């Protein structure tokens, strides 16, 4: 018995003038399985929804197609309507006949509208219901680190009732806290006693992670403390491992050699200088002090802060003459411009140069030669102490931790990929967070903001002890899985593990909690064992079939729902017209598009295939657009092999707010297609 | 009885980020916005990707707005302002005035029939812009013939969903909330105040924001005067920042100038771009990878110009001190972009008075102490985003999330206190 | 496991040239894991063949089937109905699978679409390297688990040839590590260098008579 499909058409208040709805309704009524076709002028409003619910109930409709405005707007509304009518909300397929049809093209678009509805009807036949379930999770949090960020995160998490373990590799907590006194005028000794006295916080010093397995809600962590191995479970992991600084001098071997004799005494780091300032038994106060920053590394927020604070402190405490050599002062943090002005007003002299100054030793003092930009002349300074330029670098254990956790580092070796969708504190793996100086050169204000952000993020996930998931949204069929480990290796979210299925065979198991529904695994599985509800082969092929049945010349565009699909909608809203023969198939990520889908599109008569995903470096699933690009290239090679020329497959990257780029891509591929005579 | 609801005032990206974070934890959030559309300034920023994403985060704003508009825990109150606030943390009473929208955004399906029949010129009923959220038409009383005394019902008659209602007055309502987050954003520095730079006089002197909007509308850069692509462009940094009236760095301008320059050069590699600066801000995650490219393709000149004059041929002559060369120079350009800074909102004073919170010396909202940049002098009232000080988009989002975090923490504590107190009675 | 690689398309097209109805048969074991002949590759090849013929202006009907293990008669028997419908079978399995199919369906040409290359393992995603030469006389115990027959370009069994390049690279292929350097380092880690000092008699390459036969003792 065929499923009863109900099709609901909406003419948007009668405003859609270039579609003949009666003709559409007539044609659609003939599609197999369609038992009811309804035309409305306001499906999204209360009265329209009420009518839909009664129709579904009266006609015993089992699956629903809505042909109206973009699903980006109203999909959730119609899913609710289905639920209210007693159907599972996922048995819905939408045809975008407004933004991507009526508004996107000139002239009559009835034919395209019919095809779009056909695509949706074909797809809905295969859709299966999906349930939601609340999965219990472990509420404990592991905080790796023991400095300012780690301590504050633990304290704030405790305030909201979550228990944490502070994992510190040194023997004591509070490494690096003395700097805070010099720079911000407070010594957080109370912080350490607060942490030690907090019943929600467990402190493990001289301890480090040796292995991690599992996913959010259920991380299994092996810790080595003393000679012991401890195994613990946590719901989330927060990395707050800080940073390290290194004298830029160290990277210049010649410079170092020249200064061997006096380095360490006359050439110091900011931290050593802080200690000098705090040392009550300092014998001689330095009369002339030089500071340097922003030459080797122009990413110098922290060096700017350190210099300004130390220079001011030295001026006030010792009254020394202070000269600062720099290229550009980094004032893009709160209060730093004021600090800079204060330093200048206090008499600190700022000497700007474009190239790094020359540093040599002379008569037990440090000689600095620089070309000052304002004077246009060389300046030579002999000083008692030079606080040399420092590089802000990732902490020692960053690389090791990133392999243990299998998470990406950024291009400078700090935690957290540079993908903007991860900011401020998340990683590509659910349940793993970064906070503070371990992810970037941050001032205190930004570190504090990070800390608060991570607290609410973790609270949101773990506080109720349960996280709702779509049950088996993406699943590897244990019968077909050959445990080739490909999906495990490619999943950008680390959501797949080898598990033992019922018959004890090792197969890929996808964690509902950790899965972010991108479909990259489904597209790459060589055994076609992974099923992604709503985007399975059946569902995609059904849409392609509908396109193919019409005459040739169609361009199939797989549009990622985060980027190209909204861009296409915007193009419609802006009335930026593009060729009518475009047929969009909405996908969760460009990385979900299978080579197989592209080839089938051609088999069914497509003139060209477009794959559109996010801009390079901005993929919501990190590697989806890269995979898509590789597959598109592979596809072109496969077609070339069989001498099927003139059937272009192209990949374009576009942002959701870049409708012009979308239209340019479509126009370009249309032009190529016309030129090859299809 | 305490309330667990939160009121967020201002719907720029910080307000939206705050609201989303709270809503995701199950809190009910009211979002108050004085305009008819949400999104603030950053909603009109363009994507600056070249062949890779330039990390400008304009698309993140887009994503967050989309998420917020359909979130069941969030109630939007556009065209609304606060009249009075009373009470305390856990128990605030807020009186709100909502100006009539005339077009009900819940019923408007953006079909466009009304604007077709509107006889006014410019149209009195229109869609503010394509990306407008809520995606609904608005009626401008100032343009509408009916409000000028004429008889006209054309739009109302044409509306298929009966979304237009003229006999509306401003509505007052009272909300009971546990905490308030102020996220009213910033005002763009009015470049006309630096008269010698020619903004407002010369059509080809634009601000960074104008540029963003041209890109958003047209997809590429064209001159306002002749619609052609400019060949020689100057960016002038620190317009309205780091000067006598603004003792701070606006944090966003160096990066947006460089990213816009990068986009311009990507679309048109032969374009010459010069950036005049004081100190180049080249920090932050995701910037180092681009700086190398920028250094090669953009001409950086240390020294901010003081005067721009339009020549008889319509070009712009910029007079500046080239500090590296030690002399005063003149260069001509087709287009000059003023990288205007972030100024405190001019409505901040009123809001500060109504809420009882302090303004800092620089005009932004003041914070309680430096170790907590979201807390104000009033318990339960927090600030988020650029209304507290200049920030870029990622920092505004983070600040908004932090404000939500703080609000959540104090509400939880106040609730448990309330329970303790109740238990005692 | 067995690693195979798809044959050049020209070759495949050539041997299916006379046919109008074929079956592309995949195998769900080794060739699936090495991305050469699983259900996915079957679908892709089938698509390519249809597109190719259509571009040439002629027809072809391509059926698809994947057997769990093509070298098992019982499993192959499951697709006998599909085989009966076609003129020829294109097998994406290793040589073992092709021959099993050929034996089961003697009246149909069973054509190999992959080249069975070696026994190997994945070094990283998408890259498989040869590990084992199937010599029938395994002596990995004394080479620290590294097989010089396969991994040494000259197949030497008693130490390096003396032509090792700087950095421990092979004389023949400078991109390759010298197997004997690797063996030395491995044995050194295990404290078993004495093993390398012994002399081993020349290898009996006829240890495996062709075709090989292994009779397991009853369980």
């Amino acid at each position: 018995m065929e499923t009863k499909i109900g099709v609901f058409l909406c003419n948007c208040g009668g405003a859609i003038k270039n579609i003949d709805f009666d003709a559409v309704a007539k044609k659609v009524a003939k599609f197999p399985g369609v038992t009811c076709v309804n035309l409305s002028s306001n499906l999204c409003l209360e009265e329209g929804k009420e009518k839909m619910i009664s129709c579904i109930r009266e006609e015993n409709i089992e699956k629903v197609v809505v042909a109206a405005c973009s699903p980006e707007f109203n999909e959730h509304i119609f899913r609710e309507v289905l639920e209210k009518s007693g159907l599972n909300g996922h048995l819905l397929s939408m045809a975008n006949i407004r933004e991507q049809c009526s508004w996107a093209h000139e002239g009559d678009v009835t034919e395209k509208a019919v095809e779009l509805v056909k695509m949706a009807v074909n797809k809905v036949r295969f859709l299966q219901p999906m349930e939601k379930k609340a999965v219990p999770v472990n509420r404990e949090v592991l905080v790796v680190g023991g400095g300012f960020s780690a301590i504050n995160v633990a304290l704030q998490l405790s305030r909201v009732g979550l228990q944490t373990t502070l994992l510190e590799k040194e023997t004591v907590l509070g490494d690096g806290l003395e700097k805070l006194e010099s720079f911000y005028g407070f010594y957080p000794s109370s912080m350490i006693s607060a942490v030690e006295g907090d019943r929600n916080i467990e402190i493990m010093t001289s301890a480090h992670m040796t292995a991690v397995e599992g996913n959010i809600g259920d991380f299994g962590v092996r810790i080595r403390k003393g000679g012991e191995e401890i195994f613990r479970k946590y719901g989330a992991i927060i990395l707050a491992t800080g940073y390290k600084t290194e004298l830029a001098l160290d990277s210049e071997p010649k410079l170092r050699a020249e200064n061997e004799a006096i380095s360490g005494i006359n050439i110091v780091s900011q931290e050593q200088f802080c200690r000098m300032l705090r040392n009550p038994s300092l014998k001689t106060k330095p009369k002339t002090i030089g500071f340097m920053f922003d030459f080797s590394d122009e990413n110098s927020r922290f060096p700017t802060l350190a210099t300004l604070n130390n220079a001011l402190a030295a001026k006030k405490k010792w009254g020394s003459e202070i000269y600062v050599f720099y290229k550009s002062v980094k004032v893009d943090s709160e209060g730093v411009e004021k600090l800079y002005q204060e330093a200048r007003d206090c008499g600190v002299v700022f000497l700007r140069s474009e190239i790094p100054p020359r540093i040599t030793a002379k008569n037990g003092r440090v000689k600095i030669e620089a070309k000052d930009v304002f004077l246009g002349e060389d300046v030579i300074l002999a000083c008692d102490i030079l606080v040399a330029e420092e590089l802000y670098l990732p902490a020692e254990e960053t690389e090791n931790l990133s392999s243990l956790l299998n998470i990406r580092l950024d291009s400078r070796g700090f935690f957290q990929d540079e993908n903007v969708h991860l900011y401020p504190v998340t990683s590509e793996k659910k349940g793993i967070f970064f906070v503070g100086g371990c992810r970037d050169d941050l001032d205190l204000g930004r570190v504090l903001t990070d800390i608060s952000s991570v607290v609410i993020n973790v609270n949101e996930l773990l506080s109720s002890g349960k996280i709702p998931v779509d049950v088996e949204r993406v699943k590897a069929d244990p019968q077909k899985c050959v445990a080739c480990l490909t999906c495990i290796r490619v999943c950008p979210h680390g959501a797949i593990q080898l598990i033992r299925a019922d018959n004890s065979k090792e197969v890929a198991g996808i964690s509902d909690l950790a899965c972010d529904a991108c479909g990259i695994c489904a597209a790459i599985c060589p055994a076609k064992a992974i099923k992604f509800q709503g985007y399975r082969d059946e569902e995609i092929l059904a849409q392609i079939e509908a396109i193919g049945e019409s005459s040739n010349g169609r361009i199939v565009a797989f549009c990622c729902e985060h980027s190209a699909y909204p861009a296409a909608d915007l193009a419609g809203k802006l009335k930026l017209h593009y060729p009518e023969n475009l047929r969009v198939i909405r996908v969760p990520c460009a990385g979900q598009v299978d080579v197989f889908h592209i080839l089938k599109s051609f088999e069914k008569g497509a003139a060209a295939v477009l794959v559109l995903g996010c801009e390079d470096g901005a993929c919501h699933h990190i590697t989806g657009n890269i995979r898509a690009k590789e597959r598109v290239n592979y596809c072109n090679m496969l077609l070339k092999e069989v001498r099927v020329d003139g059937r272009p497959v192209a990949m374009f990257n576009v942002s959701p707010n870049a409708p012009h780029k979308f239209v340019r891509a479509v126009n370009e591929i249309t032009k190529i297609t016309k030129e090859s005579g299809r | 009885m305490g309330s667990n609801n939160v009121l967020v005032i201002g719907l720029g990206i910080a307000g939206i980020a705050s609201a989303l974070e709270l809503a995701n934890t199950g809190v009910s959030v009211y979002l108050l916005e004085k305009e008819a559309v949400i999104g603030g300034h950053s909603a009109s920023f363009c994507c600056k990707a070249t062949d890779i994403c330039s990390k400008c985060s304009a698309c993140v704003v887009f994503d967050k707005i989309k998420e917020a508009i359909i979130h069941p825990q969030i109630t939007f109150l556009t065209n609304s302002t606060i009249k009075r606030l009373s009470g305390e943390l856990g128990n605030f009473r807020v009186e709100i005035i909502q100006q009539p929208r005339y077009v009900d955004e819940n019923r408007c399906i953006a079909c466009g029939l009304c604007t077709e029949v509107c006889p006014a010129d410019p149209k009195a009923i229109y869609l503010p812009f394509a990306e407008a959220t809520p995606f609904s038409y608005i009626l401008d009383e100032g343009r509408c013939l009916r409000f000028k005394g004429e008889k006209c019902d054309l739009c109302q008659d044409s509306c298929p969903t009966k979304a237009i209602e003229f006999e509306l007055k401003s509505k007052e309502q009272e909300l009971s909330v546990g905490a308030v987050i102020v996220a009213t954003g910033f005002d763009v520095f009015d470049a006309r105040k630096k008269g010698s730079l020619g903004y407002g006089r010369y059509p080809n002197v634009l601000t960074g924001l104008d540029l963003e909007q041209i890109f958003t509308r047209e997809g590429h850069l064209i001159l306002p005067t002749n619609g052609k692509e400019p060949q020689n462009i100057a960016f002038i940094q620190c317009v309205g920042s780091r000067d006598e009236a603004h003792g701070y760095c606006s944090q966003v301008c160096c990066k947006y100038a460089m990213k816009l320059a990068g986009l311009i050069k990507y679309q048109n590699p032969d374009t010459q771009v010069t950036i005049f600066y004081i100190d180049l801000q080249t920090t932050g995650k995701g910037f180092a990878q681009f700086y190398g490219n920028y250094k090669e393709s953009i001409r950086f000149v240390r020294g901010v110009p003081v005067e721009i004059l339009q020549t008889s041929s319509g070009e712009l002559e910029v007079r500046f001190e080239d500090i590296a060369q030690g002399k005063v120079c003149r260069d001509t350009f087709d287009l000059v972009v003023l990288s205007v800074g972030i100024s405190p909102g001019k409505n901040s004073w009123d809001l500060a008075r109504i809420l009882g919170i302090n303004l800092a010396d620089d005009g932004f909202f003041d914070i309680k102490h430096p170790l907590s940049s979201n807390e104000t002098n009033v318990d339960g009232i927090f600030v988020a985003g650029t209304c507290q000080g200049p920030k870029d988009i990622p920092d505004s989002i983070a600040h908004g999330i932090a404000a939500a975090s703080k609000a959540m923490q104090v509400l939880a504590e106040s609730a448990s206190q309330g329970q303790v107190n109740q238990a005692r009675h | 496991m067995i690693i195979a690689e798809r044959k050049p398309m020209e070759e495949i097209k050539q041997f299916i040239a006379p046919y109008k109805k074929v079956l592309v048969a995949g195998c769900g074991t080794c060739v699936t894991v090495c991305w050469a002949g699983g259900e996915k590759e079957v679908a892709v090849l089938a698509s390519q063949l249809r597109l190719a013929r259509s571009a040439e202006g002629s027809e072809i009907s391509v059926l698809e089937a994947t057997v769990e293990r093509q070298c098992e008669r019982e499993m192959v028997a499951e697709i006998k109905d599909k085989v009966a419908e076609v003129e020829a079978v294109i097998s994406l399995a290793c040589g073992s699978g092709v021959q099993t199919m050929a034996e089961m369906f003697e009246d149909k040409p069973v054509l190999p679409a992959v080249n069975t290359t070696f026994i190997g393992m994945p070094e990283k995603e998408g890259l498989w390297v040869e590990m084992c030469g199937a010599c029938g006389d395994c002596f990995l115990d004394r080479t620290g688990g590294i097989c010089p027959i396969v991994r040494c370009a000259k197949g030497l069994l008693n130490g390096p040839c003396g032509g090792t390049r700087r950095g421990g690279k092979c004389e023949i292929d400078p991109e390759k590590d010298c197997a004997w350097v690797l063996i030395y380092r491995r044995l050194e880690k295990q404290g078993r260098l004495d093993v390398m000092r012994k002399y081993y008699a020349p290898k009996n390459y006829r240890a495996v008579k062709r075709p090989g036969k292994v009779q397991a003792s009853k369980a």
Side-chain angles (χ1 to χ4, degrees), chain A residues 415-454:
Chain A
F415 281 127
Q416 193 182 52
D417 189 284
E418 276 129 342
N419 192 311
V420 289
H421 302 290
L422 298 176
Y423 301 168
V425 291
T426 58
S427 73
E428 67 272 24
K429 280 190 163 169
K430 288 191 198 169
I432 298 184
F433 300 91
F434 313 106
V435 76
C438 67
R439 68 174 191 97
D440 193 16
D441 180 353
L442 302 176
D443 63 311
L444 185 66
R446 289 186 176 92
V447 169
L448 290 166
T449 300
D450 262 15
I451 293 169
S452 297
S453 301
V454 114

Side-chain angles (χ1 to χ4, degrees), chain A residues 344-613:
Chain A
R344 287 175 68 158
D345 290 340
C346 252
V348 173
V349 178
F350 285 83
L351 297 158
R352 180 185 270 158
S353 33
E354 296 291 343
I355 52 173
R358 251 196 87 215
I359 305 167
T360 43
K362 188 171 171 140
N363 300 333
R365 302 176 92 207
V366 184
K367 187 167 103 160
I368 308 171
E369 290 167 66
K371 177 149 185 210
D372 182 270
V373 164
F374 286 105
L375 297 174
E377 277 175 20
D378 284 328
V379 168
I380 302 174
L381 175 77
C383 56
D384 303 311
I385 303 264
L386 168 65
V387 184
E389 189 182 0
E390 271 183 1
L391 301 171
Y392 186 94
L393 300 167
E396 290 293 346
E397 65 268 26
T398 307
E399 213 177 308
N400 185 34
L401 282 169
S402 95
S403 341
L404 271 180
L405 291 161
N406 200 10
I407 49 176
R408 295 162 79 102
L409 297 175
D410 74 10
S411 58
R412 292 185 297 145
F414 289 93
F415 281 127
Q416 193 182 52
D417 189 284
E418 276 129 342
N419 192 311
V420 289
H421 302 290
L422 298 176
Y423 301 168
V425 291
T426 58
S427 73
E428 67 272 24
K429 280 190 163 169
K430 288 191 198 169
I432 298 184
F433 300 91
F434 313 106
V435 76
C438 67
R439 68 174 191 97
D440 193 16
D441 180 353
L442 302 176
D443 63 311
L444 185 66
R446 289 186 176 92
V447 169
L448 290 166
T449 300
D450 262 15
I451 293 169
S452 297
S453 301
V454 114
V455 167
I456 194 171
N457 267 292
V458 170
N459 187 62
E460 192 181 308
L461 283 175
L462 303 181
S463 66
S464 66
K466 284 199 281 250
I467 298 182
V469 299
D470 287 312
V471 180
E472 292 188 343
R473 177 178 214 134
V474 186
K475 183 178 163 134
D477 181 350
Q479 299 299 327
K480 289 180 109 174
C481 173
V482 296
C484 68
L485 305 182
T486 306
C487 60
I488 295 172
R489 291 177 187 135
V490 307
C491 174
H493 304 288
I496 314 182
Q497 252 101 42
L498 265 183
I499 57 168
R500 287 208 181 274
D502 313 295
N503 60 352
S504 243
K505 185 174 90 147
E506 263 197 322
V507 293
I510 300 175
S511 156
D512 284 337
L513 273 174
C515 173
D516 208 15
C518 62
I520 292 173
C521 57
I524 209 173
C525 176
K528 285 180 158 294
I530 299 183
K531 305 287 175 215
F532 184 168
Q533 293 297 341
Y535 302 98
R536 298 173 300 158
D537 280 345
E538 306 89 295
E539 281 134 6
I540 303 277
L541 289 182
Q543 293 176 74
I544 295 173
E545 293 265 355
I547 299 170
E549 280 165 28
S550 51
S551 53
N552 286 342
R554 298 287 185 261
I555 297 178
V556 177
F558 292 94
C559 288
C560 149
E561 70 180 12
H562 297 289
S563 57
Y565 198 90
D569 280 346
L570 253 188
K573 286 185 197 173
L574 282 169
K575 305 286 192 289
L576 295 175
H577 293 156
Y578 51 89
E580 199 206 311
N581 57 345
L582 192 78
R583 295 290 177 271
V584 169
I585 294 182
R586 187 171 174 227
V587 292
C589 176
Q592 185 265 333
V593 179
D594 198 335
V595 164
F596 171 61
H597 301 150
I598 299 175
L599 290 177
K600 274 290 186 223
S601 303
F602 285 125
E603 269 195 66
K604 298 296 172 185
V609 172
L610 271 181
V611 177
L612 294 132

Side-chain angles (χ1 to χ4, degrees), chain C residues 8-28:
Chain C
M9 185 49 74
E10 282 311 311
E11 226 184 296
I12 301 178
K13 275 169 65 176
Q14 227 177 3
F15 45 64
I16 64 161
Y19 307 112
K20 286 202 155 48
K21 194 164 184 191
V22 297
L23 167 68
V24 177
C27 172

Side-chain angles (χ1 to χ4, degrees), chain A residues 13-54:
Chain A
I16 296 183
K17 300 257 173 49
N18 54 353
I19 297 179
D20 179 353
F21 279 91
D22 287 325
V24 173
K26 273 210 191 83
K27 287 220 168 85
V28 168
K30 298 206 188 98
F31 295 161
V34 174
T35 55
C36 155
V37 182
N38 219 285
L39 177 60
S40 163
S41 64
N42 54 10
L43 267 183
C44 56
L45 299 180
E46 279 314 312
E47 46 276 33
K49 286 191 277 186
E50 292 298 320
K51 281 213 189 105
M52 231 179 116
I53 296 174
S54 5

